[in-house]
Amino acid sequence: MVDLANLRDPVVIAAFEGWNDAAEAATGAVDHLVDEWDAELVTAIDPEDYYDFQVNRPQVGLDEDGVRRLTWPTTRIYLARPDDTGRDVLLIRGIEPNMRWRAFSRELLEIVDESNAQIVVVLGALLADSPHTRPIPVSATSSDPELTASWSLEASTYEGPTGITGVFADLCTTLGVPSVSIWSAIPHYIAGTPCPKASLALLGKIEALLDLAIPEGDLPELSRAWQRGADELSEEDPEVAEYVQSLEEQRDTADLPEATGEAIAAEFERYLRRRNKNHPSD
């Protein structure tokens, strides 16, 4: 395992597949950082205690040498040492566990503690009544009063069901490690495919908060391609076009409610209602 004891002003950025990751926006952002910063795999969580393999099945495939490999679903921790940032970044890229969430979070916190990281950033994405033709709404909240004041964040006011992002952030706070939750709001009517536009918005928020230079790579072009696809969908379906227009009017006449923690929480509650309606057995 890589020695984490002497990192440069380290920060942790985490994202998890599943309930917290609409349109793969959060994990897409971390995947981008892993690739752009050529991050080194530090360790992986033993999946045996945390995943139901009938829900998250192992994958069989050929590696770059043509050898057949079995890959188990798990959570991996990478270390990036970008030369132009002056700090090192631990990247946690995982899957929401099926069981033993507290033990799972404690394992991650042991790694955070070993690295002496002073801040943990947790990424998430939810479905929202937001038009694809406008910038993706992003909200940053924290339960840490000092961090909320110094970074001008929204205080976390959401009440209701949470995912592993909420559990992990709460345990960080309990153990005295400040955490920030950054969420993007995905247009719910076009959430069936990955949304690079939302990943780019999340990375922009990280860059602004941490004063951390982040290479955009091919994300801008992928975002434009996503935008063109969403425009085509809207143009081909009059009902979708009318709905998008109504969302645009709401967005343009409102005083940026999507930028507040309360509005994001309200969108999250609408997302839960929509999800429960579409998946009543969940």
Side-chain angles (χ1 to χ4, degrees):
M1 181 172 172
V2 177
D3 181 14
L4 301 179
N6 297 300
L7 301 184
R8 304 172 301 164
D9 191 19
V11 62
V12 176
I13 301 173
F16 302 90
E17 292 179 22
W19 198 74
N20 323 270
D21 190 31
E24 302 176 19
T27 53
V30 171
D31 287 340
H32 176 80
L33 295 178
V34 170
D35 291 339
E36 288 294 320
W37 283 335
D38 195 21
E40 177 184 4
L41 180 63
V42 174
T43 188
I45 300 295
D46 186 342
E48 196 72 23
D49 292 332
Y50 304 115
Y51 295 102
D52 180 344
F53 298 135
Q54 289 183 321
V55 176
N56 294 293
R57 291 185 178 273
Q59 299 290 316
V60 176
L62 301 179
D63 64 16
E64 57 187 21
D65 297 321
V67 179
R68 194 172 182 83
R69 301 288 188 188
L70 183 67
T71 303
W72 292 92
T74 189
T75 291
R76 296 178 173 84
I77 295 87
Y78 298 85
L79 174 61
R81 300 178 183 269
D83 294 332
D84 56 349
T85 64
R87 71 191 316 175
D88 296 325
V89 184
L90 276 182
L91 300 167
I92 299 176
R93 202 289 190 197
I95 306 170
E96 185 173 72
N98 304 111
M99 61 199 80
R100 302 186 68 224
W101 284 18
R102 286 178 295 183
F104 174 85
S105 297
R106 283 194 295 269
E107 277 204 45
L108 294 181
L109 258 295
E110 288 178 4
I111 296 171
V112 173
D113 184 61
E114 182 182 351
S115 71
N116 295 312
Q118 299 301 304
I119 184 72
V120 172
V121 177
V122 184
L123 305 181
L126 55 89
L127 303 182
D129 296 325
S130 177
H132 73 275
T133 52
R134 299 294 186 267
I136 296 289
V138 177
S139 174
T141 64
S142 178
S143 298
D144 185 280
E146 292 184 8
L147 199 59
T148 299
S150 62
W151 284 12
S152 300
L153 303 175
E154 294 287 334
S156 181
T157 60
Y158 170 73
E159 297 180 9
T162 190
I164 190 61
T165 56
V167 173
F168 181 48
D170 180 74
L171 187 58
C172 287
T173 301
T174 300
L175 297 180
V177 181
S179 66
V180 177
S181 294
I182 303 178
W183 285 75
S184 61
I186 312 295
H188 70 86
Y189 56 89
I190 192 168
T193 58
C195 183
K197 184 177 179 179
S199 297
L200 191 59
L202 287 170
L203 293 174
K205 192 67 171 180
I206 293 172
E207 190 170 46
L209 287 177
L210 299 180
D211 191 23
L212 187 67
I214 294 177
E216 292 184 341
D218 60 356
L219 271 183
E221 178 55 38
L222 293 173
S223 298
R224 288 189 287 270
W226 179 89
Q227 186 76 45
R228 289 192 295 270
D231 289 341
E232 291 172 2
L233 171 68
S234 178
E235 292 167 359
E236 293 170 359
D237 191 323
E239 291 186 1
V240 173
E242 183 179 354
Y243 179 62
V244 171
Q245 183 178 0
S246 70
L247 293 179
E248 290 173 338
E249 292 171 354
Q250 294 173 26
R251 176 77 177 267
D252 294 343
T253 57
D255 185 20
L256 295 179
E258 69 282 350
T260 70
E262 288 186 6
I264 287 290
E267 292 286 7
F268 196 44
E269 290 169 356
R270 283 194 286 271
Y271 158 65
L272 291 178
R273 288 196 294 271
R274 187 182 299 116
R275 183 178 185 276
N276 290 335
K277 181 179 178 180
N278 294 334
H279 304 280
S281 61
D282 286 359

